[in-house]
Every structure is written in C-alpha cells, then in structure tokens.
Amino acid sequence: MRRIFNFSAGPAILPVSVLEEASRGVLDINGTGMSILEVSHRGKVYDPIHAEAQANLLSVLGLSSDDYAVCLLGGGASLQFTMLPMNFLQTGQTADYVDTGEWSAKALKEAKRFGTANVVASSKATNYDRIPKDLSFTPGARYAHVTTNNTIEGTQWAGLPDTNGVPLTADMSSDIFAVNRDFSKFGLFYAGAQKNAGPAGVTMIVARRDFLETANKDLPPMLSYAVQAEKESLFNTPPVFPIYVLNLVLKWIQAEGGVAALDARNRGKAAVLYDALDAAPDFYQPTVADKADRSLMNVTWRLADESLEAELLAEAKKRDMDGLKGHRNVGGFRASIYNAFPVEGVQALAELLTEFGHKKG
Ligand code: PMP
C-alpha cells in the first residue's frame, strides 16, 4: 500500500492498522457475513461496539462513567458551538469566552444567540498569534469556553486557565487524545473526530454529570445533551461507521501506551519541526509570537520571501508530502502532525526545510 506523508489539517491521517481493520469490517464485521455498513444500530453486532467506544473514550481520558456522560453525535464540532449555549445559557445569564482564533470566534458568535457572551480576552488584534494570559473570569458565569488548540493559527493552551469556580468547557477538536491534560477539570468538552480520533461524521461530547444536571430542560430532544446522554446517543440512528472507527482508534491509543505516551511522542515530533524553523530565522518566520503557545499539532510558518512559496510546495510534493499549504484565510504553511502522523514524515519535512533554507537563503 502506497502511503505519502499527509499533513492535512483534517480529515487527517489515521493509523494504518486502523485503516486495515476498518476495511475488513467494511467487507465482513466479526465474521457475521455482513458489512459494518449494513447492520442495525440496535442489534447484537453493533451494540457492543457502541458501548465499547464510550467506555474506551472515558478510559483513555482517565474519567469514570459515574462522573461523566458521553454523547457521540453528528453535526460536527460546529453544532456544538450552538448546542453548548442552547443547553446552558439563557437570556440574562453570562458565559465567558476566550477568543483565540477563527473557531473560537465562531463558537462565541453562536453563544450570543442565547445570552450574554462575554469576551474574557481576545488575541484577534494581533492575528491570533498568542494565547492571552492573566485572565479574569466572571463570578457566577454559567461556563467558560476555550479552544484548546487553534487549528488554523497554530496556537495551543499549554496549561488550563484557572476559571475561579466557573465550569470550564472546551473545543478540543484538534488536540483530544494528543495532549495529556487533567480532563477532570472540565464541566464539558467536545471534539470532532476527524483529526486525532477517526473519520468525519461523529463528534464526541464528554459532560460532567453534575454540570449536565444544570442544563436547560425544554429543548428539542435531538439538541438536548440530557436526552442524548440518557438515550446513550441512540435517540436516532447514530453515525455507526465513524463510531466503529473511533473505537478502533481508541484501542490503538491504548496499545500505544495511552494519551501520556502520545503526548510525549507529539512533543518530540513538534520539536523536530520547530528546531528546523528556528535554525533559519531570517528565512522562516514562525507565526506564533510566544514559543510557549506553539501548537504541538499544527505547526505554522511563513517564508520571509513569499515568492518562494510555490517552489517549496512543489519540492515537498516531489518528496511525497501533501497538505502543507496554510489555511486559506491565513496563508503561509501549516504542517498538521496529529497522533497518527509518523515521526519519519516529520524528519523528512525538517530535512526539506533545512535544505531549502540553505539553497535559497
Ligand atoms: N473547532 C476546531 C478547533 C476545528 O479545527 C474545527 C475544524 N475541523 C472545527 C471546530 C469545526 O469542526 P466541524 O467541521 O467538525 O464542524
């Protein structure tokens, strides 16, 4: 099987062993003579997969099902921008948002439909080149919202903010299972699967049960976390195939040593690229102001001489590398190096950057 170095920001690279097992499951799931695409979502083939995916999800995050509920829903992380305030915010109430990038801004915009969305801090004025520090949250706010990794801008929260008792919520779409955080600090977090966890089509929501109890009650059932959690994400037909692949990825994470082991590996991978960029500061310009805010997942940079961009991309393509063009709104370059991205690919890109810098610089 031919595999190139796919630096796509998402949907993104998956472990080869997962792709192989998923292709077997597409033809015949567990020797049943049926494809995973053909079985009922309320039958004995899928039941254990659905239950296992939820249990494995909590287990790799170090959380207990006594304290946390899991929902596996369609609609992408973008639907969660709406569902979170719909479930927890009402007119006259405040939610705190930290505006660290385009995705944070979209989440914030949705919250404004339901109540007062207070911008605790924003790095928009400096093109989202940093994570704001020294934040002060609103006493009594319904929740605080952060984006743990800013996929487009290449910044990431190294630690978690102290919210002074306000329940912390997060969009973890681009760093779930890749950074070892204390997940018990969160009231709720969500993540689309298509970067570190599986194919597009399923979004994971993990909610602390006592926080969930405070959710608004009178909601359309499909949009109510309480209903979805009570029905174990089987209120309607769930995204069966994405959940099946998510479960394979979760088993792969466990076999690799868990989130702590992947976190260590990811730090090593990111350092290889940042070192190569930092070695040629006149040639490569990092887009993130403070090194402490650099993303381990999405490494972003520009060329001092932007006229060389096409040439660098063409050289990368010759070396079997794809997906390095920066997001259309910010330009430059972006190397997305999620959990399944191999260290050899990172080394190959670092070599290319060093050689190209020497030749052209
Ligand atoms: N949040 C972040 C941090 C993202 O990177 C993305 C893009 N995948 C989204 C939200 C939107 O996700 P979706 O396309 O699943 O709605």
Side-chain angles (χ1 to χ4, degrees):
M1 183 172 51
R2 177 170 174 258
R3 296 284 285 169
I4 66 159
F5 294 129
N6 173 9
F7 290 92
S8 167
I13 190 165
L14 287 168
V16 174
S17 60
V18 166
L19 295 177
E20 285 169 344
E21 185 154 358
S23 14
R24 286 193 291 273
V26 165
L27 293 173
D28 180 357
I29 182 73
N30 301 336
T32 56
M34 293 180 282
S35 164
I36 180 65
L37 303 175
E38 299 169 327
V39 295
S40 164
H41 61 293
R42 301 187 200 277
K44 62 180 186 315
V45 177
Y46 179 66
D47 273 355
I49 294 172
H50 192 77
E52 219 181 279
Q54 296 182 57
N56 285 338
L57 201 163
L58 288 179
S59 147
V60 304
L61 297 172
L63 298 174
S64 145
S65 61
D66 292 341
D67 302 326
Y68 281 85
V70 174
C71 300
L72 300 173
L73 308 180
S78 298
L79 180 60
Q80 298 313 308
F81 296 164
T82 310
M83 270 181 82
L84 176 66
M86 180 183 261
N87 279 259
F88 290 101
L89 192 60
Q90 285 179 353
T91 312
Q93 296 178 330
T94 297
D96 284 344
Y97 277 74
V98 189
D99 177 26
T100 53
E102 285 194 31
W103 294 116
S104 306
K106 287 198 166 119
L108 168 68
K109 194 170 167 201
E110 290 306 297
K112 287 181 178 159
R113 295 180 194 277
F114 299 93
T116 304
N118 171 45
V119 183
V120 175
S122 172
S123 49
K124 189 171 182 188
T126 52
N127 292 323
Y128 295 124
D129 66 346
R130 67 198 67 196
I131 300 291
K133 311 280 164 357
D134 300 324
L135 308 177
S136 111
F137 292 87
T138 312
R142 285 294 278 126
Y143 61 84
H145 181 272
V146 298
T147 309
T148 50
N149 183 75
N150 298 284
T151 327
I152 297 176
E153 298 82 4
T155 61
Q156 188 169 29
W157 289 79
L160 294 173
D162 178 2
T163 54
N164 230 339
V166 176
L168 179 60
T169 70
D171 174 1
M172 294 190 192
S173 292
S174 49
D175 71 0
I176 194 162
F177 310 135
V179 174
N180 199 17
R181 302 183 187 277
D182 180 354
F183 296 97
S184 71
K185 289 254 160 71
F186 293 91
L188 182 149
F189 52 94
Y190 57 89
Q194 66 267 28
K195 293 154 202 318
N196 275 306
V202 63
T203 305
M204 302 161 273
I205 299 106
V206 178
R208 212 173 56 221
R209 293 189 186 277
D210 60 359
F211 182 54
L212 199 52
E213 272 167 26
T214 71
N216 302 334
K217 298 284 178 282
D218 190 20
L219 294 175
M222 282 294 289
L223 300 174
S224 160
Y225 290 127
V227 171
Q228 293 286 6
E230 193 204 315
K231 300 283 181 195
E232 307 217 336
S233 309
L234 287 163
F235 181 81
N236 73 329
T237 315
V240 168
F241 183 70
I243 292 173
Y244 162 68
V245 181
L246 165 66
N247 190 39
L248 297 180
V249 172
L250 289 166
K251 289 197 232 182
W252 174 82
I253 291 172
Q254 286 166 335
E256 294 295 304
V259 175
L262 291 170
D263 175 303
R265 192 190 295 171
N266 289 332
R267 279 173 207 282
K269 280 169 13 188
V272 171
L273 284 187
Y274 286 120
D275 286 351
L277 293 168
D278 288 343
D282 296 333
F283 195 75
Y284 298 113
Q285 301 180 332
T287 53
V288 178
D290 184 345
K291 285 187 183 179
D293 299 335
R294 285 174 164 181
S295 171
L296 301 177
M297 302 280 97
N298 312 99
V299 178
T300 53
W301 73 93
R302 289 179 180 286
L303 296 185
D305 178 358
E306 292 192 346
S307 71
L308 294 172
E309 272 186 13
E311 205 176 323
L312 177 55
L313 282 174
E315 190 54 40
K317 194 154 192 246
K318 266 197 231 155
R319 299 184 190 199
D320 265 356
M321 299 179 198
D322 192 31
L324 286 166
K325 211 167 167 21
H327 187 275
R328 62 189 181 281
N329 293 357
V330 300
F333 293 81
R334 170 174 57 174
S336 298
I337 48 173
Y338 302 116
N339 276 344
F341 194 90
V343 68
E344 297 76 28
V346 168
Q347 281 156 350
L349 177 58
E351 257 165 49
L352 165 62
L353 292 173
T354 305
E355 280 173 32
F356 194 78
H358 283 155
K359 200 161 75 185
K360 302 284 175 183

